Amino acid sequence: HPRSALVVVTAPGPGSGKMAVCLSQQNQFLWFFCTSTLEHSITRRWMQLGSSDRVLLRETLWHAYINLSSGAQKRQRDTYAVLIAQMGKREFPDEDPNYFMHCITLVKSNFVLGICLLRTTSEEVMSCREDITTDRKQYFQFILCKAMLCKAQI
């Protein structure tokens, strides 16, 4: 599996260039800085990112997450899960209609990562923060329960 992944996100606004983020598993300080920067981009600047940048960010984080080694630190696993859940909360169902199906599929292929991501998504969506409406929270609950019931019957 790759030791690092590169994401290039165009920073919005006049005079701002590009921000390159390297998710390196070798340097914990660089990794922490990069994931903190990504979290800021996801939570505070998401709508300012272009759709291609959001897709690139989503795909790169998913790839990094599903390719974590079984010996990866819990902190690293949980941080990736939070970032993916924060994106899922903003993208589902419009930009990423298969978010929950990807989570359920991950449970089948890597139980620990899948359950961690489902738990984190639930916590993100049900948090008391005002970044999503009550109707949207209820919709997430409905879809999650429906996805879990459909997969349980298979």
Side-chain angles (χ1 to χ4, degrees):
H1 67 285
R3 296 298 295 165
S4 63
L6 179 65
V7 178
V8 178
V9 179
T10 305
S16 58
K18 290 188 176 189
M19 169 179 55
V21 180
C22 177
L23 297 175
S24 171
Q25 297 176 11
Q26 296 173 351
N27 183 326
Q28 66 180 344
F29 299 108
L30 176 61
W31 181 85
F32 182 76
F33 171 76
C34 290
T35 54
S36 296
T37 303
L38 288 174
E39 183 173 21
H40 177 79
S41 296
I42 293 167
T43 59
R44 305 215 192 297
R45 303 174 73 98
W46 189 250
M47 296 311 293
Q48 296 167 336
L49 297 175
S51 62
S52 61
D53 290 331
R54 291 192 299 259
V55 168
L56 179 63
L57 186 55
R58 176 185 348 122
E59 289 175 356
T60 302
L61 283 171
W62 268 99
H63 182 75
Y65 186 67
I66 64 174
N67 287 304
L68 283 174
S69 68
S70 58
Q73 294 180 359
K74 183 181 182 313
R75 165 99 173 138
Q76 189 176 32
R77 181 194 70 206
D78 292 349
T79 300
Y80 280 130
V82 166
L83 294 173
I84 293 169
Q86 288 172 340
M87 284 188 304
K89 179 170 64 172
R90 286 161 177 77
E91 291 191 318
F92 179 81
D94 302 322
E95 293 180 55
D96 189 7
N98 296 317
Y99 178 77
F100 284 109
M101 286 299 114
H102 292 305
C103 292
I104 300 299
T105 302
L106 184 58
V107 169
K108 289 181 174 182
S109 64
N110 187 325
F111 186 77
V112 172
L113 291 180
I115 290 298
C116 177
L117 185 55
L118 284 173
R119 177 186 46 86
T120 304
T121 299
S122 176
E123 290 170 357
E124 266 305 308
V125 171
M126 297 306 139
S127 69
C128 294
R129 292 188 296 264
E130 299 294 324
D131 55 347
I132 62 172
T133 65
T134 302
D135 289 341
R136 190 153 169 86
K137 286 181 185 183
Q138 290 173 344
Y139 181 67
F140 266 94
Q141 282 179 320
F142 171 74
I143 294 298
L144 181 58
C145 290
K146 183 178 175 183
M148 296 299 283
L149 288 174
C150 288
K151 291 299 178 181
Q153 293 175 0
I154 293 176

